[in-house]
Amino acid sequence: MIPLVHVDRQMQSMKAEIISCVAEIINSGQYVLGEQGRLFEKEVCQYLNSPYTINVANGTDALVLALRSLDIGVGDEVITTPFTFFATAEAISRVKAIPVFVDIDPVSYNMDPKLIEAKITNRTKAIIPVHLFGKSCHMEQISKIAKAHNLYVIEDACQAFGGEYNGEKLGAIGDVGCFSFFPTKNLSTFGDGGLVVTKHKKVADRIKRLRHHGSEKKYFHEEVGYNSRLDEVHAAVLRLSLQKIDQWNETRIKKAGTYSTLADLEGYTLPQLVKGKEHVYHLYCLEHNRRDDLIQYLNDQGIASGVYYPLPLHLQNVYKKLGYQHGDFPVAELKSKRLLALPMHPFLKEEEQQYIIEQLRTF
Ligand SMILES: *Cc1c(COP(=O)(O)O)cnc(C)c1O
């Protein structure tokens, strides 16, 4: 079976370096909030060209801490997309704010900026654009709307590490940006990890305090916070991976180019080709009318594929209480029935990809 992602191949490629880092960490006796974490934060600041980054335990916590650091809470409204991983909306609900959804653009699959203004009320505090599948949102339009209405922009860049918009790194464009280092993400470790990036010193200081039990000075607590930190081992793996991320993303972009040879085939709608690193193909998703038959066919030929996402968030059981109906976001609902993800990762072999393309043609 050709899997969707091959995280073990990525880790194997760095195994010797990782083992020697782990041995050093064992000897250091410093396992949480130590030198590796500090260096990783510093190196990511340089990479993203942003003044502050804070390591946290995972991408969901990054979003929760971002919201908390901006004092977004009970009854506040946050505008986002219904076509994303659940954690985006879950974080909004976790701080007792209300997720307000807008439909997506049919080509980019990202939130449609034209639909945002109609959803702004006097309780709206922030917009969370999600760079879905690694494709950048239209940040210029979103930033303009946010500025006009005095709203914060929190980028969910969990699927888009290393991606860019107009030459700026995704995550570092809005007020706050959030990343996940879950094993399948573009920049990842063999466990959980996350990061918050911000331009604002006040926000950075607050997140540092929140991730560590609301404490600035050991055993003195200013507020109720979290235990949300990145272990030294993961920080070390991420430092090694950060050196390779550009090369890995370029390989993904090249492989997306290879898949685009399917463009002449009837029945397939491929992701729009974009310039530079506007898309870093965390997932390579295409559309087909007979999506479910295609999944079955590929599976029979030994090729895994995935559905991102089978049920938009406004139709999830947990959000019944928000009162949305079928038909409220027709584009998201349609795409949830048409999209499938093909195997895509930097370690996908050329002959594997040629076999996948051959089978797509045969279907
Ligand atoms: C993975 C992901 C998250 C959550 O990250 P975790 O590290 O799994 O908590 C949030 N938003 C999006 C869009 C993601 O893909």
Side-chain angles (χ1 to χ4, degrees):
M1 199 78 183
I2 301 176
L4 209 51
V5 285
H6 230 314
V7 291
D8 49 330
R9 278 189 195 162
Q10 185 165 314
M11 285 303 154
Q12 290 286 355
S13 78
M14 304 187 293
K15 194 169 170 183
E17 292 164 283
I18 291 171
I19 287 171
S20 93
C21 279
V22 171
E24 267 179 50
I25 291 164
I26 291 172
N27 292 339
S28 78
Q30 180 87 58
Y31 305 142
V32 179
L33 290 184
E35 186 68 4
Q36 294 297 321
R38 268 195 299 279
L39 288 170
F40 178 59
E41 284 174 344
K42 195 174 137 207
E43 288 158 7
V44 181
C45 278
Q46 282 163 1
Y47 181 85
L48 297 176
N49 195 21
S50 184
Y52 308 105
T53 59
I54 308 98
N55 296 329
V56 295
N58 54 66
T60 310
D61 280 7
L63 288 160
V64 169
L65 268 63
L67 289 159
R68 283 280 314 266
S69 73
L70 299 170
D71 284 319
I72 294 169
V74 184
D76 292 335
E77 294 175 0
V78 179
I79 296 175
T80 192
T81 165
F83 201 59
T84 174
F85 180 55
F86 177 58
T88 314
E90 187 183 31
I92 299 169
S93 300
R94 277 266 300 278
V95 302
K96 299 193 161 55
I98 302 158
V100 173
F101 299 117
V102 299
D103 209 353
I104 57 170
D105 173 89
V107 176
S108 70
Y109 312 124
N110 284 326
M111 82 196 296
D112 187 342
K114 291 192 298 297
L115 304 173
I116 294 174
E117 274 187 309
K119 293 295 181 93
I120 296 174
T121 72
N122 55 11
R123 291 191 298 184
T124 309
K125 290 283 157 63
I127 304 171
I128 305 189
V130 180
H131 307 296
L132 197 72
F133 306 152
K135 164 80 176 74
S136 64
C137 289
H138 203 309
M139 292 309 292
E140 201 179 312
Q141 280 180 29
I142 292 169
S143 306
K144 222 158 119 190
I145 294 164
K147 204 167 166 207
H149 296 269
N150 209 11
L151 307 175
Y152 295 115
V153 175
I154 302 171
E155 294 177 74
D156 181 340
C158 288
Q159 302 188 355
F161 195 98
E164 293 178 4
Y165 175 84
N166 281 351
E168 280 184 271
K169 285 281 189 297
L170 300 180
I173 300 168
D175 294 285
V176 187
C178 301
F179 290 102
S180 162
F181 304 127
F182 184 77
T184 58
K185 310 284 171 160
N186 287 33
L187 184 72
S188 60
T189 179
F190 50 82
D192 279 304
L195 180 107
V196 188
V197 50
T198 179
K199 305 178 166 63
H200 311 299
K201 180 168 192 304
K202 233 180 99 185
V203 171
D205 290 344
R206 183 85 185 277
I207 290 172
K208 265 186 206 152
R209 186 165 101 178
L210 282 167
R211 78 169 167 184
H212 193 51
H213 305 289
S215 163
E216 282 167 20
K217 192 172 151 209
K218 206 170 182 181
Y219 304 129
F220 292 85
H221 303 273
E222 310 304 322
E223 62 181 323
V224 173
Y226 304 79
N227 172 358
S228 186
R229 303 171 300 225
L230 186 74
D231 299 342
E232 286 290 276
V233 167
H234 295 307
V237 173
L238 288 162
R239 288 186 66 210
L240 291 170
S241 303
L242 186 62
Q243 293 173 20
K244 318 213 157 136
I245 188 65
D246 281 343
Q247 183 197 322
W248 288 342
N249 278 338
E250 269 153 34
T251 307
R252 285 174 185 271
I253 292 166
K254 231 165 69 219
K255 294 198 183 294
T258 306
Y259 274 134
S260 69
T261 55
L262 289 163
D264 62 328
L265 269 189
E266 215 180 304
Y268 292 92
T269 306
L270 305 186
Q272 189 189 29
L273 284 177
V274 294
K275 59 180 190 311
K277 287 192 173 149
E278 272 180 31
H279 200 328
V280 287
Y281 301 95
H282 166 63
L283 292 169
Y284 185 89
C285 294
L286 51 70
E287 296 178 43
H288 197 281
N289 284 335
R290 289 167 51 215
R291 193 261 319 264
D292 294 343
D293 294 340
L294 178 55
I295 290 173
Q296 186 57 51
Y297 175 81
L298 290 174
N299 188 67
D300 294 343
Q301 312 311 314
I303 299 164
S305 55
V307 174
Y308 300 89
Y309 292 92
L311 187 65
L313 300 186
H314 66 291
L315 300 176
Q316 296 282 345
N317 281 338
V318 59
Y319 284 140
K320 273 198 178 126
K321 57 176 190 256
L322 295 178
Y324 291 105
Q325 310 281 331
H326 271 277
D328 281 348
F329 304 116
V331 184
E333 291 168 30
L334 179 70
K335 300 304 176 184
S336 71
K337 295 186 176 69
R338 286 177 53 87
L339 277 166
L340 88 158
L342 297 178
M344 166 58 83
H345 55 88
F347 294 85
L348 180 66
K349 294 181 179 148
E350 222 170 281
E351 61 269 25
E352 289 172 332
Q353 196 179 12
Q354 285 313 324
Y355 174 71
I356 296 163
I357 289 172
E358 225 172 86
Q359 292 309 320
L360 286 163
R361 287 190 178 278
T362 311
F363 178 78

